[in-house]
Amino acid sequence: MAELESRVNVIEIKTSTIESKVDAFIQEMRDFKTEMRDRDNQRAAEIREIRQRQEEQIRDIDKKFDRIDQKFDQMDHKMSQMDQKIDGIGKFVQNLTIAAIVGIGAAVVGIGAMTFAVVTK
């Protein structure tokens, strides 16, 4: 019987050792799960922060493109004004040319009339 009791004691010791190891393992797994959740939460927070920064950058880029579009609109307006001025200058030069031709023609006719009057006298 003493041998049986010593075997039971050994089995009980081994069982309690195994139970304590299982309990320690369970606690370790709980700690691991908690740590993994914390890391997942940290990653999620980092991803949210990155997405927020990207959205801000996109908004900044959109604002810059809006400013560029406004500048192009201003340039287009100024170019159309310059085109109108150039057209006006062209019409002015055309009118001056016609006036000069008419003046030269009148001078030729006047000189011709004076020459005719001097020659016929």
Side-chain angles (χ1 to χ4, degrees):
M1 263 319 220
E3 186 180 325
L4 186 61
E5 284 180 14
S6 73
R7 282 185 176 175
V8 168
N9 283 339
V10 168
I11 290 174
E12 284 177 353
I13 290 170
K14 286 182 179 181
T15 303
S16 73
T17 303
I18 289 172
E19 285 176 351
S20 66
K21 286 182 180 181
V22 167
D23 288 341
F25 181 75
I26 289 171
Q27 185 58 43
E28 199 172 314
M29 286 295 108
R30 284 183 184 141
D31 292 344
F32 178 75
K33 284 170 59 176
T34 303
E35 185 179 333
M36 292 307 291
R37 281 188 190 119
D38 290 344
R39 285 187 185 173
D40 285 345
N41 291 336
Q42 286 175 350
R43 284 190 194 112
E46 288 172 356
I47 289 171
R48 277 192 299 272
E49 183 181 327
I50 289 169
R51 285 183 181 159
Q52 184 178 5
R53 274 190 265 141
Q54 286 176 339
E55 289 173 0
E56 288 173 3
Q57 289 173 346
I58 288 170
R59 275 187 251 122
D60 289 344
I61 289 170
D62 286 343
K63 286 179 185 176
K64 288 177 183 177
F65 276 122
D66 287 343
R67 282 189 228 127
I68 290 171
D69 287 342
Q70 289 174 353
K71 291 293 183 186
F72 276 125
D73 290 343
Q74 290 173 355
M75 287 174 55
D76 286 342
H77 181 69
K78 286 181 182 179
M79 290 295 286
S80 67
Q81 286 178 339
M82 286 175 60
D83 286 343
Q84 290 173 354
K85 287 180 181 179
I86 289 172
D87 288 342
I89 290 171
K91 289 179 183 176
F92 180 72
V93 169
Q94 186 178 19
N95 290 338
L96 282 178
T97 304
I98 291 172
I101 290 172
V102 168
I104 291 171
V108 168
V109 169
I111 291 172
M114 286 187 335
T115 307
F116 180 73
V118 170
V119 169
T120 57
K121 232 187 187 191

